Amino acid sequence: GSSKRHEVSCLRPCAKHSEPNAAMRAALAWPSHGPLSGCLRSARSDAWRKFSAAPRLEVQRAGERGPSNRLTTPLQAAPASLRGPKQSSSSSPSSAPPPWEEVPPEEISYSMVIYDCSRNGRAQAAADWLEDMAASPFKPNFFAFHAVIMGFAEGGRAKEAGGYLDRMLAEGLQPGVASYNAVINCCSKVGDTEGAVRWFESMVEHGVAPTTGSFNAVLRNFARSGDVKSALRWLERMSSARPSVSPNQTSYTSAIRSCAKAVPRQETQATLLFRQMRSMKLFPSASTLDALEEALGGVEPRNELCLSLGIDPDEVMRQRHRRNEDHKESRLSRGGIGWAR
């Protein structure tokens, strides 16, 4: 029991530690046979369950606190070589080998350490472990590259995130939409409109269908710069994409904000966008109303337009206040820090 617990702790270092220690390196070299083989197989299965559940757990937690750029791609999106064999409907569940027996334990170990470093804000440490993995007989997989890309993207290091995305492609691995979106979002956050557009086009070129989030990341750049023409073109491109992507509340908010930032302000276009948004049964957020207020030049014209379309602007603002208060209480109950930090 103690040996099993020790290997699990080595396979996936505690989030409190700043970096995996020497025990991790020793665990990578442990054999899968001998007197401890039973403990190792059991520990390996525990590590696999954590390995396969970690990104999905991230989705659930991120959903509790709003949009997130964290590791949001489930392991099921990874290549079959990483997921393990698909079980045929004709074979019985008991006859299929467990997935952790199909993936080398060293590959799981490296991947979990890279993932832990990335999600704890140590992108460079994650990249260093990926280099160690590349130098070993166990080459970096989809999961490992994705973790490093997300780590750099969260830290606002668009050049490094894009570099590992390029390297992933050079290694013959197909990045998923989450990897592309992370780099596009990062470019958008640092104000690199050209980079965001370039990675979006690369995603399409490689046969990865963009999501609403992909388009929204590009639209945010035009919102900040007041480029109404480009914002409208990309909003139209969403509907003409194949498969079609429906604009959401955030899409229209960015387009309206571009009207507000334009010189001079595009009041007529902002009004048309807001009416179009309502015709699509989309309800505005407080951020939408803030952008509309700026575009129309005041609270009164904004409220008049909202009321004409059956929207109570005061209630929208009260909802934002309630959400902020709930978020504040939630942070206090957790000791004032985010769950992943």
Side-chain angles (χ1 to χ4, degrees):
S2 60
S3 297
K4 173 184 172 182
R5 286 193 297 271
H6 173 68
E7 195 205 1
V8 171
S9 67
C10 289
L11 287 172
R12 190 169 190 265
C14 177
K16 294 179 182 178
H17 297 163
S18 61
E19 188 172 355
N21 54 29
M24 177 59 227
R25 295 183 184 273
L28 293 174
W30 278 19
S32 56
H33 54 80
L36 289 178
S37 60
C39 290
L40 288 171
R41 280 195 296 271
S42 181
R44 195 183 308 164
S45 69
D46 288 344
W48 172 267
R49 280 190 285 271
K50 291 178 182 179
F51 178 43
S52 59
R56 185 173 295 281
L57 180 63
E58 196 78 33
V59 173
Q60 294 168 349
R61 291 182 184 271
E64 296 170 3
R65 59 187 177 85
S68 171
N69 290 331
R70 295 191 180 280
L71 294 174
T72 56
T73 300
L75 184 62
Q76 284 69 15
S81 61
L82 179 60
R83 295 197 305 269
K86 289 186 73 173
Q87 182 176 308
S88 63
S89 56
S90 59
S91 62
S92 62
S94 59
S95 64
W100 57 87
E101 296 292 352
E102 297 297 319
V103 178
E106 294 85 356
E107 185 175 343
I108 298 175
S109 302
Y110 273 116
S111 299
M112 285 308 304
V113 174
I114 292 168
Y115 169 71
D116 266 341
C117 289
S118 178
R119 76 189 291 266
N120 284 284
R122 294 183 56 80
Q124 189 57 56
D128 291 343
W129 275 99
L130 186 139
E131 297 304 332
D132 282 358
M133 188 177 185
S136 77
F138 309 95
K139 300 308 177 186
N141 52 40
F142 169 95
F143 185 90
F145 271 109
H146 180 66
V148 172
I149 290 167
M150 297 300 276
F152 281 124
E154 280 196 344
R157 298 170 66 176
K159 182 178 179 181
E160 289 84 352
Y164 276 95
L165 189 55
D166 265 333
R167 182 172 165 185
M168 190 177 182
L169 290 164
E171 293 284 339
L173 297 172
Q174 176 61 63
V177 67
S179 300
Y180 277 109
N181 281 357
V183 178
I184 295 169
N185 268 300
C186 185
C187 290
S188 179
K189 286 179 180 179
V190 300
D192 183 6
T193 304
E194 182 182 342
V197 173
R198 183 177 68 254
W199 281 112
F200 184 98
E201 300 298 352
S202 174
M203 174 170 60
V204 175
E205 180 183 340
H206 285 91
V208 179
T211 63
T212 303
S214 312
F215 281 98
N216 286 347
V218 177
L219 277 168
R220 278 196 295 272
N221 287 279
F222 304 131
R224 282 195 295 265
S225 62
D227 189 346
V228 179
K229 184 178 179 180
S230 295
L232 294 177
R233 185 174 70 251
W234 278 80
L235 200 62
E236 176 62 28
R237 184 174 174 179
M238 292 181 78
S239 302
S240 60
R242 292 293 179 269
S244 177
V245 179
S246 299
N248 62 10
Q249 175 197 91
T250 304
S251 311
Y252 279 101
T253 299
S254 294
I256 292 171
R257 196 174 298 280
S258 71
C259 297
K261 297 295 184 182
V263 180
R265 292 195 312 268
Q266 303 290 317
E267 300 178 19
T268 303
Q269 187 61 62
T271 301
L272 290 174
L273 286 167
F274 191 73
R275 290 185 179 278
Q276 183 180 351
M277 176 182 177
R278 289 300 296 138
S279 70
M280 296 182 66
K281 309 299 181 185
L282 295 173
F283 197 81
S285 65
S287 296
T288 310
L289 297 192
D290 288 342
L292 187 62
E293 176 185 339
E294 187 178 356
L296 299 184
V299 175
E300 289 186 7
R302 181 203 70 182
N303 289 352
E304 182 180 347
L305 177 59
C306 288
L307 292 171
S308 70
L309 296 173
I311 298 169
D312 183 352
D314 294 331
E315 177 57 27
V316 175
M317 294 302 179
R318 282 193 293 269
Q319 288 177 5
R320 174 164 67 180
H321 178 72
R322 286 194 293 268
R323 281 195 299 271
N324 289 342
E325 290 299 316
D326 290 343
H327 179 65
K328 187 185 300 182
E329 291 179 8
S330 177
R331 286 180 61 84
L332 291 173
S333 68
R334 297 196 301 266
I337 60 173
W339 73 271
R341 300 291 181 214

